[in-house]
Amino acid sequence: MKKWIMPLLIIFVSATTSAQSIKNGKKDGKFETMDIVESAIECTDCFDWELIGICFWLKCKLFSCSVETSMRVRHFIPDLVVSSYTYQSEWEDTKDWNHNPSGAIGQTESIRDQATALDFKSVDIISHPALPIYNALGGEEYFCESMLDIPMMPHFLSSHDPSWSEPGIEQLYPQSILGWPRFRTGTGSWMGLLEGSWAPLYPRCGWGAHPYDPINAAVAAHRAAEIVTRNAQPHIYMPLTGNCDNRCWKPGAVNVNNGTDNRFQMLVPWVEDSTRILNGSAAWANGKNRTRESYMWTLWRRYSCCEKKGQAFLFKIDFKS
């Protein structure tokens, strides 16, 4: 490992022990950039490192060639921070980037954590401030680099996207007309299709009508994440472009009810020490309702890679899918 990487990691880990602990607990007051960095470093389960196979390379010298091997690994990297809110983001350093959120229409709260009428959520998606740490780690043999290089780069600010408040063309999509796919409340099996859902995925906009405010926020967060992880969508945004390098396989786009490559770690109102996809029983929202109606997640994305050991990549053998 490069000599400067370990001291850098020690500094940030030390900050997590000397500062107020925010792991797996409720976060009150301001949520600052260092809090987001700490929440990623502390979430070792979110990283989920695995050895999954072997890569084979052709290495040639002046008069001979040989086949070299390297380990193929995979793990998650905190690529993005997703904020979903009615009035203002909880991220103190970026809360003024998304102007004039529309708020809710006829929104009222109850003691049962339920809201009524039609709700609108603004969404920010910004590259994670801890990216330099994970990309430095990715320069080593058994770790991957993100396809993103610049921390705190805005990829989606809903106030700049007219289609977020007025869906327009997406209302004509077959998915919007049929109301499918939907965020399942079931177990993921075909029987779960009979158990209802949080909301339809399309049209991908900020409007929602679920009685639980955290669920409206989660649906909006997922919709925006689906947009930015794809190219040529009918929205105004900065797609995720770039390559993690020539030994790396990038994660797929965010997909509803599928957490293979993309999983969310809640930051506000609770900092959780695990990740999940955004669907399931409505009981998930219990205790998460906020008077300020503001929520945040880190979007962890799974990369796989192997160290380059020669001039040409030949093939790979995976131990597991």
Side-chain angles (χ1 to χ4, degrees):
M1 180 176 287
K2 295 180 176 64
K3 293 181 179 179
W4 59 272
I5 294 178
M6 185 57 69
L8 181 63
L9 291 175
I10 291 174
I11 290 172
F12 279 99
V13 171
S14 297
T16 67
T17 58
S18 61
Q20 177 184 3
S21 176
I22 61 171
K23 184 176 181 180
N24 203 31
K26 195 167 186 177
K27 175 66 180 176
D28 296 315
K30 296 180 180 180
F31 203 85
E32 298 179 342
T33 299
M34 182 55 71
D35 296 326
I36 297 173
V37 173
E38 291 173 7
S39 68
I41 294 175
E42 289 180 343
C43 191
T44 54
D45 288 343
C46 302
F47 194 67
D48 195 20
W49 186 95
E50 291 182 284
L51 174 64
I52 60 170
I54 301 175
C55 293
F56 293 82
W57 303 84
L58 181 64
K59 182 177 182 179
C60 292
K61 297 181 180 178
L62 186 59
F63 297 110
S64 64
C65 291
S66 61
V67 174
E68 303 291 334
T69 61
S70 59
M71 296 296 101
R72 180 164 138 84
V73 303
R74 70 184 179 194
H75 59 80
F76 286 81
I77 295 176
D79 270 352
L80 301 166
V81 178
V82 185
S83 302
S84 180
Y85 51 92
T86 301
Y87 304 107
Q88 191 174 64
S89 170
E90 292 295 295
W91 189 352
E92 187 70 18
D93 298 323
T94 67
K95 66 181 181 181
D96 297 325
W97 292 8
N98 202 358
H99 303 294
N100 302 320
S102 299
I105 295 179
Q107 181 78 9
T108 60
E109 303 295 334
S110 76
I111 60 174
R112 295 173 179 259
D113 284 351
Q114 293 184 350
T116 60
L118 195 60
D119 187 33
F120 181 84
K121 287 289 183 284
S122 297
V123 174
D124 310 340
I125 298 186
I126 299 168
S127 59
H128 203 283
L131 276 174
I133 299 173
Y134 286 86
N135 282 342
L137 189 65
E140 302 306 311
E141 182 174 358
Y142 299 111
F143 300 97
C144 306
E145 296 179 13
S146 171
M147 62 187 292
L148 304 178
D149 296 322
I150 304 174
M152 297 184 67
M153 170 70 72
H155 287 270
F156 182 79
L157 299 174
S158 59
S159 63
H160 298 277
D161 177 26
S163 296
W164 189 252
S165 58
E166 299 179 8
I169 189 173
E170 283 200 358
Q171 294 184 95
L172 305 177
Y173 279 20
Q175 300 97 313
S176 297
I177 296 171
L178 297 174
W180 196 261
R182 304 179 70 89
F183 294 82
R184 286 198 300 263
T185 59
T187 60
S189 66
W190 70 270
M191 288 296 293
L193 304 179
L194 306 177
E195 299 180 20
S197 64
W198 286 2
L201 174 62
Y202 285 86
R204 293 172 301 179
C205 62
W207 295 105
H210 197 281
Y212 289 94
D213 189 64
I215 290 180
N216 283 326
V219 168
H222 181 101
R223 287 171 174 170
E226 283 229 356
I227 292 168
V228 301
T229 55
R230 290 170 168 80
N231 295 321
Q233 302 300 296
H235 292 266
I236 296 176
Y237 68 106
M238 182 182 294
L240 306 187
T241 58
N243 293 303
C244 37
D245 65 22
N246 57 10
R247 63 184 177 97
C248 187
W249 290 261
K250 297 185 293 186
V254 171
N255 279 293
V256 66
N257 302 315
N258 186 337
T260 300
D261 285 345
N262 301 274
R263 297 182 69 85
F264 292 82
Q265 175 199 10
M266 176 163 264
L267 302 180
V268 174
W270 292 88
V271 178
E272 296 182 340
D273 57 3
S274 61
T275 58
R276 56 164 291 153
I277 57 176
L278 298 180
N279 70 2
S281 168
W284 168 82
N286 290 344
K288 293 184 173 69
N289 201 62
R290 303 202 71 194
T291 303
R292 299 196 325 208
E293 298 181 11
S294 184
Y295 309 85
M296 285 178 61
W297 290 266
T298 290
L299 177 54
W300 291 76
R301 311 188 71 220
R302 187 169 71 175
Y303 293 78
S304 60
C305 60
C306 53
E307 184 181 18
K308 184 177 180 180
K309 290 288 190 176
Q311 289 84 4
F313 173 75
L314 297 176
F315 58 92
K316 60 182 174 67
I317 296 177
D318 284 345
F319 307 140
K320 58 195 300 185
S321 59

